[in-house]
Amino acid sequence: MTTPLFSIAFGVGTQNRQGAWLEVFYAQPLLHPAAELVEAVCPLIGYQEGNQALPITKNQACDLAAALKHIDPLQSALLKRLAESEKPLVVCVLAEDSALSSTPEAYLKLHLLSHRLVKPHGLNLTGIFPLLPNVAWTSQGAVDLSELAERQLEARLKGELLEVFSVDKFPKMTDYVVPSGVRLADSSRIRLGAYIGEGTTVMHEGFVNFNAGTAGPGMIEGRVSAGVFVGKGSDLGGGCSTMGTLSGGGNIVISVGEGCLIGANAGIGIPLGDRNTVESGLYVTAGTKVALLDEQGNLVRVVKARELAGQPDLLFRRNSQSGAVECKTHKSAIELNEALHAHN
């Protein structure tokens, strides 16, 4: 096997009674695995080409562990543990980062994000929603919704309680990955597929969606929507809403530069450059008309907010008397105005 792979992972998961995958746990996913590992694994699992999710038996897991003993001791040790499983096993192979075609593939890409192997916007997530079944996440793991009532009855008859924490396509991240160096006040508010950088604190009302996150360090007290990536040293105030969209769908990607402050109940629909501040309660969408002010507070020009996207050192605020959205900069607004004209 000479063609390099994009990713490979050995997983254990849950299937419903019809054998359909509900979820998959990959303890140690690999990005761009070594050629030697690929050459050792592929013949043992019958892999030929393309993106595939290949079920394996306990015996195959043992064979894979032996084959990787001197090539990758960590993966070998993992496979030895997987060989003890009573749950179904799978090897997910991604030849390339293309549109998704199976539930195990979707879970692998979510793991790559939460393991910090790929940053948000760095993966093709096209087709992910139909491939993630709506699942009851319970005290006994993932349960198919059509089987939930029977499982609840079975638990009661044994004197047990099957607690349902949520019904959703996405599980919480910490049931699969707990990144190093983070504080997560309420882990149920962080979905698998979130990227939580070293030094990040997510407070109780903070929420981080999949394909979104923060480079860290920083404080998240509001909502980081899918498609939003927050730079280092930024603070998203309580109740803040960021209106990002999925990069895989061809929509605008929202990024937040380093050292930004988005106040409580504020929101953005444009990328922010470094050291931007958005006043509490202010929503700045791409079409918002913004009065550009110079250092003395004089009006220079009225622009749409999209023209200020990615510019550093901006303060967005609302005029308390007129209600107009204004923007001041630590640099001369005249210079910024000239830059905008040159860009146009």
Side-chain angles (χ1 to χ4, degrees):
M1 184 77 179
T2 57
T3 303
L5 296 179
F6 178 73
S7 180
I8 190 170
F10 308 103
V12 56
T14 305
Q15 295 175 321
N16 64 13
R17 290 171 182 170
Q18 286 72 46
W21 289 102
L22 301 181
E23 57 86 39
V24 184
F25 172 69
Y26 300 105
Q28 299 171 18
L30 295 174
L31 184 68
H32 306 304
E36 190 178 6
L37 181 146
V38 174
E39 291 173 359
V41 167
C42 290
L44 295 176
I45 60 175
Y47 172 78
Q48 296 296 324
E49 61 182 8
N51 293 355
Q52 295 188 36
L54 301 168
I56 61 170
T57 64
K58 293 182 180 183
N59 289 336
Q60 285 177 297
C62 288
D63 293 341
L64 288 166
L68 296 181
K69 183 176 181 180
H70 300 294
I71 297 173
D72 191 326
L74 289 178
Q75 295 294 326
S76 177
L78 170 62
L79 284 158
K80 287 181 180 179
R81 299 295 303 277
L82 292 179
E84 303 169 0
S85 174
E86 298 301 323
K87 302 284 283 184
L89 306 177
V90 65
V91 180
C92 189
V93 182
L94 300 182
E96 59 184 4
D97 180 26
S98 56
L100 296 163
S101 61
S102 71
T103 299
E105 289 179 32
Y107 267 84
L108 174 51
K109 288 195 174 182
L110 294 176
H111 277 75
L112 291 174
L113 287 161
S114 290
H115 276 275
R116 299 176 180 158
L117 295 174
V118 182
K119 290 183 178 179
H121 323 315
L123 290 172
N124 185 343
L125 298 177
T126 302
I128 190 170
F129 286 101
L131 295 171
L132 294 176
N134 208 24
V135 170
W137 302 101
T138 78
S139 52
Q140 296 181 13
V143 176
D144 189 290
L145 292 178
S146 66
E147 302 169 5
L148 180 59
E150 185 177 348
R151 290 281 296 272
Q152 288 176 316
L153 176 58
E154 290 174 356
R156 291 284 183 169
L157 294 175
K158 297 176 183 177
E160 301 172 353
L161 173 64
L162 179 64
E163 185 175 359
V164 178
F165 301 115
S166 67
V167 177
D168 195 7
K169 288 179 174 290
F170 293 84
K172 64 181 181 181
M173 182 189 71
T174 52
D175 283 348
Y176 294 79
V177 184
V178 180
S180 61
V182 301
R183 292 172 54 205
L184 310 174
D186 185 350
S187 62
S188 68
R189 298 179 63 84
I190 303 172
R191 281 175 153 181
L192 180 64
Y195 183 109
I196 310 297
E198 186 91 18
T200 298
T201 295
V202 184
M203 297 301 289
H204 294 80
E205 293 303 315
F207 171 83
V208 186
N209 211 337
F210 80 103
N211 197 34
T214 170
M219 175 77 74
I220 304 297
E221 297 182 84
R223 178 182 178 86
V224 183
S225 302
V228 177
F229 191 58
V230 182
K232 295 180 179 179
S234 294
D235 185 356
L236 272 67
C240 153
S241 174
T242 49
M243 297 169 286
T245 52
L246 278 173
S247 59
N251 296 319
I252 296 173
V253 170
I254 305 298
S255 60
V256 179
E258 297 184 8
C260 291
L261 171 62
I262 302 177
N265 299 307
I268 60 171
I270 61 170
L272 296 183
D274 295 341
R275 300 173 301 280
N276 275 210
T277 298
V278 181
E279 182 183 68
S280 296
L282 176 62
Y283 276 77
V284 181
T285 65
T288 300
K289 290 185 178 181
V290 180
L292 190 62
L293 307 179
D294 63 20
E295 293 177 336
Q296 285 72 46
N298 299 314
L299 177 65
V300 176
R301 183 185 174 202
V302 176
V303 300
K304 289 188 176 180
R306 64 170 61 92
E307 298 182 58
L308 302 173
Q311 297 287 340
D313 302 299
L314 300 181
L315 166 63
F316 292 91
R317 69 185 188 188
R318 188 177 295 279
N319 187 293
S320 60
Q321 294 182 325
S322 68
V325 177
E326 300 174 338
C327 177
K328 293 191 70 174
T329 174
H330 299 305
K331 299 179 180 180
S332 169
I334 300 296
E335 293 177 4
L336 178 57
N337 184 44
E338 292 174 350
L340 290 173
H341 275 300
H343 177 72
N344 294 334

PDB file of all heavy atoms in Angstrom, residues 83 98 101 120 165 277:
ATOM      1  N   ALA A  83      -9.829  -6.016  21.811  1.00  0.00           N
ATOM      2  CA  ALA A  83     -10.071  -7.447  21.611  1.00  0.00           C
ATOM      3  C   ALA A  83     -10.832  -8.069  22.777  1.00  0.00           C
ATOM      4  O   ALA A  83     -11.357  -9.177  22.657  1.00  0.00           O
ATOM      5  CB  ALA A  83      -8.739  -8.170  21.400  1.00  0.00           C
ATOM      6  N   SER A  98     -13.063  13.703   2.132  1.00  0.00           N
ATOM      7  CA  SER A  98     -14.168  13.960   1.205  1.00  0.00           C
ATOM      8  C   SER A  98     -15.490  13.914   1.952  1.00  0.00           C
ATOM      9  O   SER A  98     -15.519  13.736   3.180  1.00  0.00           O
ATOM     10  CB  SER A  98     -14.152  12.922   0.082  1.00  0.00           C
ATOM     11  OG  SER A  98     -14.211  11.610   0.608  1.00  0.00           O
ATOM     12  N   SER A 101     -19.882   9.352   4.243  1.00  0.00           N
ATOM     13  CA  SER A 101     -20.765   8.328   3.683  1.00  0.00           C
ATOM     14  C   SER A 101     -21.235   7.315   4.715  1.00  0.00           C
ATOM     15  O   SER A 101     -21.994   6.410   4.374  1.00  0.00           O
ATOM     16  CB  SER A 101     -20.060   7.591   2.538  1.00  0.00           C
ATOM     17  OG  SER A 101     -18.880   6.948   3.007  1.00  0.00           O
ATOM     18  N   PRO A 120     -11.385  23.717  13.565  1.00  0.00           N
ATOM     19  CA  PRO A 120     -12.643  23.974  12.860  1.00  0.00           C
ATOM     20  C   PRO A 120     -12.391  24.588  11.489  1.00  0.00           C
ATOM     21  O   PRO A 120     -11.429  25.339  11.296  1.00  0.00           O
ATOM     22  CB  PRO A 120     -13.365  24.962  13.786  1.00  0.00           C
ATOM     23  CG  PRO A 120     -12.849  24.610  15.149  1.00  0.00           C
ATOM     24  CD  PRO A 120     -11.412  24.241  14.951  1.00  0.00           C
ATOM     25  N   PHE A 165     -30.514  11.523  29.424  1.00  0.00           N
ATOM     26  CA  PHE A 165     -29.916  12.849  29.600  1.00  0.00           C
ATOM     27  C   PHE A 165     -30.298  13.795  28.469  1.00  0.00           C
ATOM     28  O   PHE A 165     -30.481  14.992  28.682  1.00  0.00           O
ATOM     29  CB  PHE A 165     -28.394  12.739  29.690  1.00  0.00           C
ATOM     30  CG  PHE A 165     -27.921  11.862  30.817  1.00  0.00           C
ATOM     31  CD1 PHE A 165     -27.238  10.680  30.553  1.00  0.00           C
ATOM     32  CD2 PHE A 165     -28.169  12.193  32.131  1.00  0.00           C
ATOM     33  CE1 PHE A 165     -26.801   9.864  31.582  1.00  0.00           C
ATOM     34  CE2 PHE A 165     -27.740  11.388  33.173  1.00  0.00           C
ATOM     35  CZ  PHE A 165     -27.055  10.215  32.892  1.00  0.00           C
ATOM     36  N   THR A 277     -13.667  44.779  19.910  1.00  0.00           N
ATOM     37  CA  THR A 277     -14.624  44.783  21.001  1.00  0.00           C
ATOM     38  C   THR A 277     -16.013  45.053  20.438  1.00  0.00           C
ATOM     39  O   THR A 277     -16.188  45.969  19.629  1.00  0.00           O
ATOM     40  CB  THR A 277     -14.276  45.870  22.042  1.00  0.00           C
ATOM     41  OG1 THR A 277     -12.984  45.585  22.603  1.00  0.00           O
ATOM     42  CG2 THR A 277     -15.314  45.900  23.156  1.00  0.00           C
TER      43      THR A 277
END
